[in-house]
Amino acid sequence: MEPLIVTAALTGAVTVPTQTPYLPYTIEHLAEDAERCARAGAAIIHIHARNPENGAPSSDMDLFGEILKAIKARTDAVICTTTGGGVGMAPADRVRVVPTWQPELATCNMGSMNFSVHPIARRFNDDDYRFPWEARWLKGSEDFIFPNTFASIRHFLEEMRKTDTRPEFEIYDVGHLYNLEFMLSEGLVEKPIWLQFVMGVLGGIRATLYDLTHLLDTATRLFGADGYRWSVIGAGYPQQFHMCTAAIMLGGHARVGLEDNIFVRRGVLGRNHELVEKIVRIAGEFDRPIATPAEVRSLLNLKGQERVGF
Ligand code: KMH
Ligand code: ZN
């Protein structure tokens, strides 16, 4: 099996600061976590921008650039920028990071869907929150449709092609693989395809082994066994470690981090690098080597750190 690509998704736009004091949102904290995760074995760092004052998700391009530069100064890991953004951000604002900062790798979300985290708000009283935006954000997601129309996916892929940014396809449900097949038939996607199965989001497919094998069977039927690589996200605990362990066993790749799960053990809040260390430990038990950033650049055919715009 090829070496395991570990992605650390440091912060995202779903977890709120009240859930865990370890959620990084200042530039310094993001850069420090990126460095620690890279040392622990993460070869890809997945990044969203947040307002450093209050942790609110942000689409400010200057801020995004500061974060990207700070991370690049501390690690040679591949940086994968989000184009998913956060609740309520317009697609035009989400994609702007690609032409502005020309990353090696960026997400491309493959379908519109309900995307909700409103049940998290049930864990807190209104006066528990550290910042006023958090309750609104969590509760408001009950009415949120994550927009990824065919027109916007096409636009995102065209922008990525211009900057030689490779797409990481976020697949939240089996129909998203068929959407990707359509984009491939339109000549908008090149092989090899890099898939990220996002499992366990309310609105998408569940994080179970049954669902994972269904996704894999479908991807193999559509793209051929050698036509794609895959990684998996299990949202929540213990799903993050269950799905990533399955990936270690099946030849896939693994994403961990506070964007998707805040616990390192049941009831124990983890730091980003502790989540990376845990999955690297599990991979070691299965004799699966860990990919370096150089190996990832070669496996995913990336343009290289010297050709990004930050
Ligand atoms: N927020 C995750 C559920 C993106 O950033 O474009 C999926 C994600 C998508 O990471
Ligand atoms: Zn993300």
Side-chain angles (χ1 to χ4, degrees), residues 12 38 82 85 89 102 106 110 130 142 155 231 266 297:
T82 185
M89 282 180 204
Q102 307 179 18
M110 288 311 291
R130 283 173 60 195
E142 187 178 9
H155 176 59
S231 172
R266 183 161 301 284
R297 289 189 169 96

mmCIF file of all heavy atoms in Angstrom, residues 12 38 82 85 89 102 106 110 130 142 155 231 266 297:
data_model
loop_
_atom_site.group_PDB
_atom_site.id
_atom_site.type_symbol
_atom_site.label_atom_id
_atom_site.label_comp_id
_atom_site.label_asym_id
_atom_site.label_seq_id
_atom_site.Cartn_x
_atom_site.Cartn_y
_atom_site.Cartn_z
ATOM 1 N N GLY A 12 -11.606 24.707 10.356
ATOM 2 C CA GLY A 12 -12.895 24.645 9.664
ATOM 3 C C GLY A 12 -13.738 25.882 9.905
ATOM 4 O O GLY A 12 -13.245 26.959 10.264
ATOM 5 N N ALA A 38 2.375 18.909 11.374
ATOM 6 C CA ALA A 38 3.319 18.447 10.346
ATOM 7 C C ALA A 38 4.406 17.601 10.990
ATOM 8 O O ALA A 38 4.783 16.543 10.473
ATOM 9 C CB ALA A 38 3.903 19.642 9.603
ATOM 10 N N THR A 82 -9.669 25.880 1.803
ATOM 11 C CA THR A 82 -11.094 25.620 1.594
ATOM 12 C C THR A 82 -11.625 26.513 0.479
ATOM 13 O O THR A 82 -11.180 27.645 0.318
ATOM 14 C CB THR A 82 -11.906 25.915 2.868
ATOM 15 O OG1 THR A 82 -13.268 25.531 2.635
ATOM 16 C CG2 THR A 82 -11.883 27.388 3.249
ATOM 17 N N GLY A 85 -15.766 27.448 2.509
ATOM 18 C CA GLY A 85 -16.052 28.613 3.353
ATOM 19 C C GLY A 85 -16.847 28.234 4.578
ATOM 20 O O GLY A 85 -16.487 27.309 5.289
ATOM 21 N N MET A 89 -21.724 32.081 3.328
ATOM 22 C CA MET A 89 -20.777 32.751 2.420
ATOM 23 C C MET A 89 -21.174 32.464 0.972
ATOM 24 O O MET A 89 -21.480 31.323 0.628
ATOM 25 C CB MET A 89 -19.352 32.227 2.623
ATOM 26 C CG MET A 89 -18.664 32.775 3.832
ATOM 27 S SD MET A 89 -16.993 32.054 3.922
ATOM 28 C CE MET A 89 -16.706 32.222 5.677
ATOM 29 N N GLN A 102 -3.545 31.250 -5.193
ATOM 30 C CA GLN A 102 -3.022 30.200 -6.078
ATOM 31 C C GLN A 102 -2.412 29.007 -5.336
ATOM 32 O O GLN A 102 -1.240 28.669 -5.543
ATOM 33 C CB GLN A 102 -2.009 30.811 -7.041
ATOM 34 C CG GLN A 102 -2.614 31.998 -7.767
ATOM 35 C CD GLN A 102 -1.647 32.663 -8.732
ATOM 36 O OE1 GLN A 102 -0.650 32.105 -9.122
ATOM 37 N NE2 GLN A 102 -1.966 33.875 -9.114
ATOM 38 N N ALA A 106 -6.941 22.750 -3.403
ATOM 39 C CA ALA A 106 -8.096 23.449 -2.817
ATOM 40 C C ALA A 106 -9.308 22.527 -2.900
ATOM 41 O O ALA A 106 -9.405 21.692 -3.811
ATOM 42 C CB ALA A 106 -8.384 24.750 -3.575
ATOM 43 N N MET A 110 -18.894 18.928 -4.024
ATOM 44 C CA MET A 110 -19.496 18.356 -5.228
ATOM 45 C C MET A 110 -21.010 18.272 -5.261
ATOM 46 O O MET A 110 -21.555 17.531 -6.081
ATOM 47 C CB MET A 110 -18.874 16.983 -5.501
ATOM 48 C CG MET A 110 -17.447 17.093 -5.994
ATOM 49 S SD MET A 110 -17.229 18.274 -7.359
ATOM 50 C CE MET A 110 -18.084 17.432 -8.678
ATOM 51 N N ARG A 130 -18.919 31.908 24.292
ATOM 52 C CA ARG A 130 -17.840 32.894 24.446
ATOM 53 C C ARG A 130 -18.075 34.108 23.563
ATOM 54 O O ARG A 130 -17.683 35.213 23.917
ATOM 55 C CB ARG A 130 -16.494 32.253 24.083
ATOM 56 C CG ARG A 130 -15.979 31.356 25.198
ATOM 57 C CD ARG A 130 -14.745 30.581 24.779
ATOM 58 N NE ARG A 130 -13.631 31.428 24.392
ATOM 59 C CZ ARG A 130 -12.556 30.989 23.722
ATOM 60 N NH1 ARG A 130 -12.482 29.721 23.358
ATOM 61 N NH2 ARG A 130 -11.576 31.795 23.420
ATOM 62 N N GLU A 142 -29.683 25.066 10.826
ATOM 63 C CA GLU A 142 -30.853 24.197 10.610
ATOM 64 C C GLU A 142 -31.585 24.583 9.313
ATOM 65 O O GLU A 142 -32.275 23.757 8.709
ATOM 66 C CB GLU A 142 -31.814 24.296 11.811
ATOM 67 C CG GLU A 142 -32.960 23.307 11.727
ATOM 68 C CD GLU A 142 -33.887 23.357 12.937
ATOM 69 O OE1 GLU A 142 -33.741 24.283 13.773
ATOM 70 O OE2 GLU A 142 -34.755 22.479 13.034
ATOM 71 N N HIS A 155 -17.378 26.727 -12.451
ATOM 72 C CA HIS A 155 -16.585 27.955 -12.267
ATOM 73 C C HIS A 155 -15.377 27.698 -11.343
ATOM 74 O O HIS A 155 -14.254 28.130 -11.628
ATOM 75 C CB HIS A 155 -17.493 29.051 -11.700
ATOM 76 C CG HIS A 155 -16.780 30.312 -11.390
ATOM 77 N ND1 HIS A 155 -16.095 31.037 -12.350
ATOM 78 C CD2 HIS A 155 -16.625 30.993 -10.219
ATOM 79 C CE1 HIS A 155 -15.552 32.100 -11.776
ATOM 80 N NE2 HIS A 155 -15.847 32.093 -10.493
ATOM 81 N N SER A 231 -9.506 9.783 0.498
ATOM 82 C CA SER A 231 -9.266 10.014 1.917
ATOM 83 C C SER A 231 -10.638 10.105 2.562
ATOM 84 O O SER A 231 -11.650 10.219 1.860
ATOM 85 C CB SER A 231 -8.485 11.323 2.080
ATOM 86 O OG SER A 231 -8.374 11.683 3.444
ATOM 87 N N ARG A 266 -12.899 9.374 24.382
ATOM 88 C CA ARG A 266 -14.265 9.701 24.795
ATOM 89 C C ARG A 266 -14.232 10.726 25.937
ATOM 90 O O ARG A 266 -13.600 10.485 26.974
ATOM 91 C CB ARG A 266 -15.032 8.450 25.228
ATOM 92 C CG ARG A 266 -16.471 8.762 25.581
ATOM 93 C CD ARG A 266 -17.379 7.544 25.581
ATOM 94 N NE ARG A 266 -17.426 6.841 24.305
ATOM 95 C CZ ARG A 266 -18.090 7.256 23.213
ATOM 96 N NH1 ARG A 266 -18.779 8.378 23.241
ATOM 97 N NH2 ARG A 266 -18.066 6.549 22.109
ATOM 98 N N ARG A 297 3.164 15.470 -2.900
ATOM 99 C CA ARG A 297 3.255 16.299 -4.122
ATOM 100 C C ARG A 297 3.402 15.414 -5.357
ATOM 101 O O ARG A 297 2.835 15.707 -6.405
ATOM 102 C CB ARG A 297 4.430 17.285 -4.007
ATOM 103 C CG ARG A 297 4.134 18.371 -2.988
ATOM 104 C CD ARG A 297 5.145 19.507 -2.969
ATOM 105 N NE ARG A 297 4.587 20.570 -2.150
ATOM 106 C CZ ARG A 297 4.861 20.762 -0.850
ATOM 107 N NH1 ARG A 297 5.748 19.993 -0.233
ATOM 108 N NH2 ARG A 297 4.252 21.714 -0.179
#
